[in-house]
Amino acid sequence: MVNNKGKIVESKFLIIACIMAFSLHSCKVTDKLNVQVYETSERGNSLTKITQFSNEGTLVVVTINPDEKFQTITGFGGSFTESSAYLLNKLGKENRKKILDAYFSEDGANYSLTRTHIASCDFSLSNYTYAKVVNDITLEHFTIEDDKSDLIPMILEAKAISKEGFKIIASPWTSPPWMKDNKKYVGGKLLPEFNDAFALYFSKYLNAYKKEGIDIWGLTVINEPHGNGNNWESTLFSPKEMTDFVMNHMGPKLEKDGWVNVKILGYDQNRAGIKEWANEMYKDENTSKYFDGMAIHWYESTYEVFPEDLQYAHQKAPSKYLIETEGCIDSEIPHWQDDAWYWKKEATDWGWDWASEKEKYLHPKYAPVNRYANDIIGCLNNRVDGWIDWNMVLDRQGGPNWFKNWCVAPVIVDDKNDEVYFTPLYYVMAHFSKFMRPNAVKIGCSINNNDLVATAFQNPDGSIAVAIFNPTESKHTIDIKLSNKNAVISIDSKALQTIIIKPN
């Protein structure tokens, strides 16, 4: 009896132990995620693959939710300008190729969305138009000859390098001067009698570039319709004037001439003004018919993303594009071979000197890397689907620029000595363009630390790209959670990481 009871008791313990073991196995909280980590940091990493992690600093939890879906990515990239193309022409073949490979090859940043200017802009060597003959309303003498020695060869070489190709958005800074009330490149308004001629100007441009082997994906009506303080090429439009022009002239003309797949983006200036423009552009079916979306810039502030304005524009037209078409470190001469400067809070912008007293607070000193990383992540977290940097290449002065409007580019060259400097800004751009591909979908991503920012996208191949920016002086341990799996890594102080989660 004792033996039998002992056996029964022993059997019960075995059963309980098996149940507990099974329960622990089936209810296991996490399996390990398959991740690859790339980091750019103040300490010197430049899109460096990280394989060794510490457990220093505060634990930060990043939670990814693929079931929560937002906008689809159009792309990331930079701009083809005459200034950049001119500088590439002055470099040796090896450095020219090095730069274009860095931007457009699969091994480089793999840019997927770009911009260029229609006729001259501030980053041109001089003022020029494609319609040089005054009052030539049929544009019989239209010519893109000015672009054939620099801008077009740069674009064609980039196309030859890019395996997947890239989209191009083209923007005029001004209509031909003779179409405006002041007859000048700078300022003034388009005269009503030239509405059709200016609409034809776009169609002629699309056709001329197509003949050169370049398809234009999208157009903006005018760069910075509020003007730019009458400093360089501009044409002034109010929200209603631009909407009426697109609705009654530009849209119908492009449709008639067969350019129905070319996207028309309205506005094309700073985010703080987009509510008024969204209200006018998307007022009803007629006003919005030819608008495919809205283009925006970042110059209203060195730190503020204006999330409320971005969300408002999206809600007014959820199915339309919301693309950042220009941003750069402006009013600064680039620092040469000095990575540390790009991480320090020393840069100023136009608003540091010229903003009104009530807007001065929007323009404090800032660190260039922080401005890029925070802005791109902030935009992506607020419905923006594309982000385009300004000039791809500038010289050590921050030009050339006919107005002497010096700025910084991710790649700086010394054209006299045939030298190239890839600033930290190049690597920041690559963190997004290289790993968040066109048609990637923004998915749910939360982070439990207000000092860090993060965003996440699921790529068409199923991989998930998570960007995390740590602007603090401290290292952090990062616990990335996805469904019932996780990965524990670490991020350095003052660092940007992209974490690629591979599908199992």
Side-chain angles (χ1 to χ4, degrees):
M1 294 290 292
V2 174
N3 287 342
N4 286 341
K5 285 183 178 179
K7 287 179 181 178
I8 291 170
V9 171
E10 184 179 340
S11 297
K12 286 181 177 178
F13 277 122
L14 284 170
I15 291 168
I16 291 169
C18 288
I19 292 171
M20 288 177 67
F22 176 78
S23 298
L24 285 170
H25 177 74
S26 62
C27 297
K28 185 163 55 177
V29 177
T30 55
D31 287 324
K32 293 301 176 187
L33 292 168
N34 179 12
V35 300
Q36 294 177 351
V37 181
Y38 299 86
E39 183 175 275
T40 295
S41 66
E42 185 191 38
R43 291 177 191 261
N45 284 333
S46 298
L47 207 67
T48 304
K49 189 172 183 179
I50 307 296
T51 56
Q52 300 294 319
F53 303 102
S54 69
N55 58 357
E56 297 179 54
T58 307
L59 177 66
V60 176
V61 178
V62 177
T63 305
I64 310 300
N65 181 7
D67 293 329
E68 193 176 12
K69 300 182 188 299
F70 300 91
Q71 75 273 26
T72 299
I73 280 295
T74 304
F76 298 91
S79 300
F80 298 101
T81 62
E82 186 184 20
S83 295
S84 293
Y86 166 82
L87 289 169
L88 287 179
N89 282 349
K90 297 188 73 176
L91 297 177
K93 288 184 179 179
E94 184 177 339
N95 274 335
R96 177 187 177 93
K97 187 176 188 308
K98 180 180 180 180
I99 292 169
L100 289 173
D101 280 348
Y103 276 127
F104 292 100
S105 73
E106 284 189 309
D107 291 334
N110 204 8
Y111 274 5
S112 55
L113 181 64
T114 66
R115 187 186 188 214
T116 193
H117 48 93
I118 296 176
S120 68
C121 67
D122 47 327
F123 279 90
S124 296
L125 305 186
S126 62
N127 303 133
Y128 66 89
T129 178
Y130 301 144
K132 303 180 190 304
V133 177
V134 176
N135 293 330
D136 177 19
I137 60 172
T138 61
L139 302 186
E140 182 182 348
H141 302 285
F142 183 95
T143 176
I144 57 168
E145 199 63 34
D146 292 285
D147 297 347
K148 289 186 176 180
S149 63
D150 42 41
L151 199 54
I152 288 173
M154 181 184 179
I155 297 172
L156 290 174
E157 192 169 340
K159 277 190 64 180
I161 292 167
S162 176
K163 185 176 180 180
E164 295 180 17
F166 51 84
K167 297 177 175 69
I168 305 173
I169 297 171
S171 306
W173 264 234
T174 180
S175 69
W178 53 265
M179 295 184 185
K180 299 195 292 184
D181 54 9
N182 68 350
K183 309 303 179 187
K184 297 177 180 179
Y185 280 96
V186 178
K189 283 180 171 283
L190 181 69
L191 290 168
E193 58 263 37
F194 294 118
N195 278 333
D196 288 333
F198 191 39
L200 175 61
Y201 190 77
F202 286 99
S203 185
K204 288 272 192 178
Y205 169 79
L206 293 171
N207 189 58
Y209 260 64
K210 189 173 185 64
K211 285 181 178 178
E212 296 296 324
I214 300 170
D215 290 317
I216 301 298
W217 177 81
L219 298 166
T220 72
V221 183
I222 210 77
N223 175 73
E224 298 179 347
H226 292 312
N228 44 55
N230 286 335
N231 289 318
W232 48 85
E233 292 94 332
S234 58
T235 300
L236 304 177
F237 279 89
S238 69
K240 187 175 189 313
E241 288 167 341
M242 183 179 288
T243 300
D244 287 347
F245 172 72
V246 170
M247 181 170 57
N248 300 317
H249 304 278
M250 182 179 178
K253 179 59 179 172
L254 295 186
E255 184 177 55
K256 180 182 177 183
D257 289 355
W259 303 109
V260 291
N261 293 323
V262 175
K263 315 303 180 188
I264 300 176
L265 305 177
Y267 190 38
D268 209 10
Q269 198 158 357
N270 296 332
R271 297 172 203 152
I274 61 180
K275 288 184 179 180
E276 180 186 9
W277 287 80
N279 286 339
E280 190 64 46
M281 289 167 53
Y282 305 140
K283 183 166 59 178
D284 55 42
E285 188 176 341
N286 287 331
T287 61
S288 63
K289 177 182 177 181
Y290 291 109
F291 282 117
D292 294 283
M294 180 179 288
I296 49 175
H297 298 180
W298 79 352
Y299 302 107
E300 202 80 30
S301 172
T302 61
Y303 69 91
E304 179 60 73
V305 176
F306 297 98
E308 182 186 337
D309 299 82
L310 295 176
Q311 292 286 351
Y312 184 88
H314 168 75
Q315 292 301 327
K316 289 292 289 186
S319 64
K320 295 184 186 289
Y321 297 99
L322 184 56
I323 297 176
E324 169 85 9
T325 50
E326 187 183 317
C328 75
I329 306 303
D330 62 327
S331 300
E332 286 281 353
I333 293 174
H335 284 237
W336 176 256
Q337 303 287 7
D338 181 10
D339 284 6
W341 179 82
Y342 294 84
W343 290 91
K344 290 178 181 176
K345 204 172 183 179
E346 295 180 1
T348 60
D349 72 332
W350 67 270
W352 177 260
D353 294 314
W354 302 109
S356 65
E357 283 304 317
K358 68 177 183 178
E359 295 173 326
K360 283 278 189 187
Y361 76 97
L362 291 168
H363 302 275
K365 288 191 174 185
Y366 63 93
V369 165
N370 293 32
R371 187 175 184 187
Y372 267 72
N374 278 317
D375 195 87
I376 297 172
I377 291 173
C379 280
L380 295 176
N381 286 342
N382 287 283
R383 298 291 188 167
V384 172
D385 57 273
W387 206 100
I388 306 174
D389 185 36
W390 190 205
N391 298 274
M392 292 187 211
V393 184
L394 291 175
D395 63 22
R396 293 182 62 171
Q397 179 62 43
N401 179 303
W402 71 263
F403 186 74
K404 296 180 170 39
N405 171 35
W406 313 126
C407 294
V408 180
V411 177
I412 305 300
V413 300
D414 183 336
D415 53 294
K416 295 179 178 60
N417 296 303
D418 196 16
E419 295 178 356
V420 179
Y421 170 41
F422 287 85
T423 76
L425 302 180
Y426 163 79
Y427 299 101
V428 173
M429 286 299 305
H431 270 273
F432 299 92
S433 62
K434 186 177 182 69
F435 300 116
M436 297 176 183
R437 303 304 299 159
N439 296 316
V441 176
K442 170 75 177 72
I443 58 177
C445 177
S446 63
I447 185 166
N448 70 342
N449 187 309
N450 292 332
D451 293 329
L452 281 67
V453 291
T455 194
F457 283 80
Q458 185 155 36
N459 283 304
D461 67 1
S463 66
I464 291 174
V466 184
I468 303 173
F469 180 54
N470 173 23
T472 74
E473 301 284 350
S474 303
K475 295 181 179 180
H476 292 281
T477 298
I478 306 291
D479 185 5
I480 300 173
K481 296 184 181 296
L482 171 62
S483 301
N484 65 334
K485 299 180 180 181
N486 85 319
V488 178
I489 61 173
S490 59
I491 188 170
D492 206 348
S493 59
K494 294 189 176 180
L496 172 66
Q497 280 186 351
T498 302
I499 300 98
I500 306 301
I501 304 173
K502 296 287 187 179
N504 289 333

Coordinates of all heavy atoms in Angstrom, one line a residue, residues 9-10 126 165 220 236 244 256 279 303 319 333 344 347 349 371 395 400-401 414-415 422 448 452 455 477 483 486:
V9 N 1.8 9.2 -5.8 CA 2.3 10.6 -5.5 C 3.4 11.0 -6.4 O 3.4 12.1 -6.9 CB 2.8 10.7 -4.0 CG1 3.5 12.0 -3.8 CG2 1.6 10.5 -3.0
E10 N 4.3 10.1 -6.7 CA 5.4 10.4 -7.6 C 4.9 10.7 -9.0 O 5.3 11.6 -9.7 CB 6.4 9.2 -7.6 CG 7.6 9.4 -8.5 CD 8.5 8.1 -8.5 OE1 8.4 7.3 -7.5 OE2 9.3 8.0 -9.4
S126 N 24.0 81.8 -62.9 CA 23.4 83.1 -63.4 C 21.9 82.9 -63.6 O 21.4 81.8 -63.5 CB 24.1 83.5 -64.7 OG 23.8 82.5 -65.7
G165 N 16.2 52.9 -60.1 CA 15.8 54.1 -60.6 C 15.3 55.1 -59.5 O 15.2 54.7 -58.3
T220 N 6.2 70.9 -59.2 CA 5.5 71.9 -58.3 C 5.3 73.1 -59.1 O 6.0 73.4 -60.1 CB 6.4 72.2 -57.0 OG1 7.5 73.0 -57.4 CG2 6.8 71.0 -56.3
L236 N 5.3 85.3 -57.2 CA 4.3 85.3 -56.1 C 3.0 84.7 -56.5 O 2.4 85.1 -57.5 CB 4.2 86.7 -55.5 CG 5.5 87.4 -55.0 CD1 5.2 88.8 -54.5 CD2 6.2 86.6 -53.9
D244 N -6.3 78.3 -58.8 CA -7.0 78.7 -60.0 C -6.2 78.4 -61.2 O -6.7 77.9 -62.3 CB -7.4 80.1 -60.0 CG -8.6 80.4 -59.1 OD1 -9.2 79.5 -58.6 OD2 -8.8 81.6 -58.8
K256 N -4.3 67.5 -71.6 CA -4.5 67.5 -73.1 C -3.2 67.1 -73.8 O -3.3 66.4 -74.8 CB -4.8 69.0 -73.5 CG -5.0 69.1 -75.0 CD -5.3 70.6 -75.4 CE -5.4 70.7 -76.9 NZ -5.6 72.1 -77.3
N279 N -6.7 74.2 -47.3 CA -8.1 74.6 -47.3 C -8.5 75.1 -48.7 O -9.6 74.8 -49.2 CB -8.4 75.8 -46.3 CG -8.4 75.3 -44.9 OD1 -8.6 74.1 -44.6 ND2 -8.2 76.2 -44.0
Y303 N 13.9 73.6 -35.2 CA 13.6 72.4 -34.4 C 12.2 71.9 -34.4 O 11.9 70.8 -34.2 CB 14.0 72.7 -32.9 CG 13.0 73.7 -32.2 CD1 11.9 73.3 -31.6 CD2 13.3 75.1 -32.3 CE1 11.0 74.2 -31.0 CE2 12.5 76.0 -31.7 CZ 11.3 75.6 -31.1 OH 10.5 76.5 -30.5
S319 N -5.6 60.8 -49.3 CA -5.0 60.0 -50.4 C -3.9 60.7 -51.2 O -3.4 60.1 -52.1 CB -6.2 59.5 -51.3 OG -6.7 60.7 -52.0
I333 N 28.5 78.7 -43.9 CA 29.6 78.2 -44.8 C 30.0 76.9 -44.2 O 30.3 76.7 -43.0 CB 30.8 79.2 -44.8 CG1 30.4 80.5 -45.5 CG2 32.0 78.6 -45.5 CD1 31.4 81.6 -45.4
K344 N 27.6 69.7 -33.0 CA 27.6 70.7 -32.0 C 26.5 71.7 -32.3 O 26.1 72.0 -33.4 CB 28.9 71.4 -31.9 CG 30.1 70.6 -31.4 CD 31.4 71.3 -31.4 CE 32.5 70.5 -30.9 NZ 33.8 71.2 -31.0
A347 N 25.4 76.0 -35.2 CA 24.9 76.5 -36.4 C 23.7 77.5 -36.2 O 22.9 77.4 -35.3 CB 24.4 75.4 -37.4
D349 N 20.6 79.9 -38.6 CA 20.0 80.0 -39.9 C 19.5 81.4 -40.2 O 19.8 82.3 -39.4 CB 18.8 79.0 -39.9 CG 17.6 79.5 -39.1 OD1 17.8 80.2 -38.1 OD2 16.5 79.1 -39.4
R371 N 19.3 68.4 -36.4 CA 18.2 69.0 -37.2 C 17.7 68.1 -38.2 O 16.5 67.9 -38.4 CB 18.6 70.3 -37.8 CG 17.5 71.1 -38.5 CD 18.0 72.4 -39.0 NE 16.8 73.2 -39.6 CZ 16.9 74.3 -40.2 NH1 18.2 74.9 -40.4 NH2 15.9 74.9 -40.7
D395 N 30.6 73.6 -52.7 CA 32.1 73.8 -52.5 C 32.3 74.3 -51.0 O 31.4 74.5 -50.2 CB 32.7 74.7 -53.5 CG 32.1 76.1 -53.5 OD1 31.5 76.5 -52.4 OD2 32.2 76.8 -54.5
P400 N 28.8 77.1 -55.7 CA 28.6 78.5 -56.1 C 27.1 78.8 -56.2 O 26.3 78.0 -56.3 CB 29.2 78.4 -57.6 CG 29.0 77.0 -58.0 CD 29.2 76.2 -56.7
N401 N 26.9 80.1 -56.1 CA 25.5 80.6 -55.9 C 25.6 82.1 -56.4 O 26.3 82.9 -55.8 CB 25.1 80.5 -54.5 CG 23.7 81.1 -54.2 OD1 23.4 82.2 -54.5 ND2 22.9 80.2 -53.6
D414 N 36.4 70.3 -52.6 CA 37.4 71.3 -52.9 C 37.8 71.1 -54.4 O 38.6 70.3 -54.7 CB 38.6 71.2 -52.0 CG 39.7 72.2 -52.2 OD1 39.7 72.8 -53.3 OD2 40.5 72.5 -51.3
D415 N 37.1 71.9 -55.2 CA 37.2 71.6 -56.7 C 38.6 72.0 -57.2 O 39.1 71.5 -58.2 CB 36.1 72.3 -57.5 CG 36.0 73.8 -57.1 OD1 35.7 74.1 -56.0 OD2 36.3 74.6 -58.0
F422 N 32.7 63.8 -47.2 CA 31.4 63.3 -46.9 C 31.1 63.7 -45.5 O 31.7 63.2 -44.5 CB 31.3 61.8 -47.1 CG 31.3 61.4 -48.5 CD1 32.5 61.2 -49.2 CD2 30.1 61.2 -49.2 CE1 32.5 60.8 -50.5 CE2 30.1 60.8 -50.5 CZ 31.3 60.6 -51.2
N448 N 9.5 54.6 -25.1 CA 9.1 55.1 -23.7 C 10.1 56.0 -23.1 O 10.2 56.1 -21.9 CB 8.9 53.9 -22.8 CG 10.2 53.2 -22.5 OD1 11.2 53.3 -23.2 ND2 10.2 52.4 -21.4
L452 N 14.5 60.5 -26.7 CA 14.9 59.8 -27.9 C 13.7 59.8 -28.9 O 12.5 59.9 -28.4 CB 15.3 58.4 -27.7 CG 16.8 58.1 -27.2 CD1 16.9 58.7 -25.8 CD2 17.1 56.6 -27.2
T455 N 11.1 55.8 -35.4 CA 10.0 55.6 -36.4 C 10.3 54.2 -37.0 O 11.4 53.7 -36.9 CB 10.0 56.7 -37.4 OG1 8.8 56.6 -38.2 CG2 11.2 56.6 -38.4
T477 N 20.5 51.3 -23.3 CA 20.2 50.0 -23.8 C 18.8 50.0 -24.4 O 17.9 50.6 -23.8 CB 20.2 49.0 -22.6 OG1 21.5 49.0 -22.0 CG2 19.8 47.6 -23.0
S483 N 5.7 41.8 -31.6 CA 4.9 40.6 -31.3 C 5.4 39.9 -30.1 O 5.6 40.6 -29.0 CB 4.9 39.7 -32.5 OG 4.3 40.4 -33.6
N486 N 11.9 39.8 -29.3 CA 12.6 41.0 -28.9 C 14.0 40.9 -29.3 O 14.5 39.8 -29.6 CB 12.4 41.4 -27.5 CG 13.4 40.7 -26.6 OD1 13.7 39.5 -26.8 ND2 13.9 41.4 -25.6

